[in-house]
Amino acid sequence: MDLYLKDKIALITGSSRGLGYATALQLAKEGCKVAINGRDEARVKNAVEKANKETGTQAVGLVGDASLPDVPAKLVQQTVEAFGGLDILITNTGGPKPGSIDSLDEVAWQAGIDLCLMAHVRLIKSALPHLRKSSAPSILTVTSLSVKQPIQNLLISNSVRAATVGLTKSLALELGKEGMRVNSILPGWTETERVAELLNARATANQTSAEEEARQQAAEIPFGRMGKPEEFANAAVFLVSPAASYINGVMLQVDGGNYRGIF
Ligand SMILES: NC(=O)c1ccc[n+]([C@@H]2O[C@H](COP(=O)([O-])OP(=O)(O)OC[C@H]3O[C@@H](n4cnc5c(N)ncnc54)[C@H](OP(=O)(O)O)[C@@H]3O)[C@@H](O)[C@H]2O)c1
């Protein structure tokens, strides 16, 4: 099946590792020109080198914290300068600080709002003038299964990401009139460094081991295992591709069936 991604231009924020990197790599394999982003310069450089070596494309690396007010516009501008336009925007970042109502303070909440909501708002707002010039514009927000099924000790994610799916659905209606598609993926437990960190924190709190916490978590998933970043990426790449031309306003769980609700 042709995804019609050849020579499309994509900015994927939070993509120097994890779900974002797997998606950038897969898009590059499909012939996209990709901009890879993260806060750590060495990690971004390494990701770009790996992607270029594996795919033979010329990805660019953009260093910057997407949760800061003035960075999203710069990331968009740098992508357009490097490649001459923008067709695909994937808004992704790291996860917010874990914790409960007792442990999380005002600073953590505000940082979580900037990271999990405002980064998406600012990136989309900055990208719109360029996406509007594309023949197949597409936006994908990366949120979490937590918007449908709260996750233990992730109160900020459980709360703030609901606003981001509200944003996604609203924009699907608003921008759909212009032929622009806006969707979200709600990842379930997927093996990345973020998950390793969360499991380590749980193990410390519960006086267990990270392996034991991983085993317990996997046991709740019908497949009995966590997802691989490539499994997330395959869904993401299809959703942003012109092959998904009639899919708009979808909040897609990629969670191995972990979500317990019917709808
Ligand atoms: N993996 C899962 O099971 C899962 C499940 C549900 C939801 N999610 C959510 O999906 C997103 C991606 O998860 P992941 O597991 O791939 O995380 P990850 O392994 O921590 O990777 C996050 C990526 O984003 C970059 N990043 C972090 N904060 C950033 C910022 N403020 N601005 C720009 N780049 C930033 C990181 O590089 P630097 O650290 O160098 O900036 C890294 O490249 C997160 O929001 C996570 O909470 C993940």
Side-chain angles (χ1 to χ4, degrees):
M1 175 179 174
D2 193 341
L3 298 176
Y4 303 103
L5 280 167
K6 185 144 176 35
D7 292 330
K8 291 279 180 284
I9 298 165
L11 166 61
I12 309 106
T13 56
S15 53
S16 60
R17 62 181 182 181
L19 306 181
Y21 177 72
T23 306
L25 185 69
Q26 204 58 33
L27 283 170
K29 282 183 184 167
E30 292 292 329
C32 272
K33 298 172 183 169
V34 298
I36 289 177
N37 156 255
R39 293 163 303 173
D40 183 89
E41 191 170 357
R43 208 175 277 148
V44 169
K45 190 166 174 274
N46 182 39
V48 168
E49 281 172 7
K50 266 197 324 184
N52 286 346
K53 196 169 164 203
E54 201 167 319
T55 64
T57 51
Q58 289 295 312
V60 296
L62 309 176
V63 180
D65 183 339
S67 72
L68 299 178
D70 57 340
V71 171
K74 285 184 189 153
L75 298 177
V76 168
Q77 196 52 43
Q78 287 167 333
T79 306
V80 172
E81 276 166 19
F83 295 131
L86 188 67
D87 301 293
I88 294 164
L89 173 69
I90 301 182
T91 59
N92 178 52
T93 61
K97 189 174 178 182
S100 63
I101 190 72
D102 289 317
S103 68
L104 293 164
D105 60 17
E106 281 278 336
V107 176
W109 275 99
Q110 196 54 58
I113 291 167
D114 281 332
L115 186 71
C116 295
L117 174 62
M118 291 313 296
H120 299 266
V121 173
R122 291 169 182 142
L123 281 161
I124 293 169
K125 212 169 158 54
S126 304
L128 271 183
H130 307 288
L131 290 171
R132 283 187 167 122
K133 293 181 194 156
S134 167
S135 58
S138 175
I139 298 171
L140 179 72
T141 62
V142 179
T143 54
S144 172
L145 184 60
S146 68
V147 302
K148 296 196 100 172
Q149 184 166 278
I151 300 173
Q152 181 203 327
N153 207 41
L154 281 183
L155 191 57
I156 295 179
S157 177
N158 298 343
S159 309
V160 178
R161 289 193 200 275
T164 308
V165 295
L167 171 79
T168 307
K169 191 71 185 178
S170 305
L171 293 182
L173 298 170
E174 213 173 299
L175 300 173
K177 295 192 178 80
E178 301 178 33
M180 200 176 303
R181 299 181 305 106
V182 191
N183 296 293
S184 187
I185 291 189
L186 287 48
W189 289 89
T190 316
E191 290 168 356
T192 64
E193 289 182 42
R194 157 93 175 152
V195 161
E197 285 159 16
L198 290 174
L199 293 174
N200 277 328
R202 271 195 196 176
T204 307
N206 298 338
Q207 297 188 318
T208 57
S209 65
E211 292 72 30
E212 175 54 21
E213 294 295 335
R215 198 193 56 71
Q216 280 182 26
Q217 196 59 62
E220 287 178 17
I221 302 164
F223 292 161
R225 66 168 179 89
M226 294 192 189
K228 308 267 179 225
E230 301 72 41
E231 293 177 305
F232 168 92
N234 288 339
V237 167
F238 172 67
L239 268 188
V240 298
S241 77
S245 54
Y246 207 58
I247 301 181
N248 185 32
V250 162
M251 311 297 138
L252 178 69
Q253 296 128 233
V254 178
D255 68 345
N258 191 7
Y259 174 57
R260 292 317 195 240
I262 294 172
F263 300 106

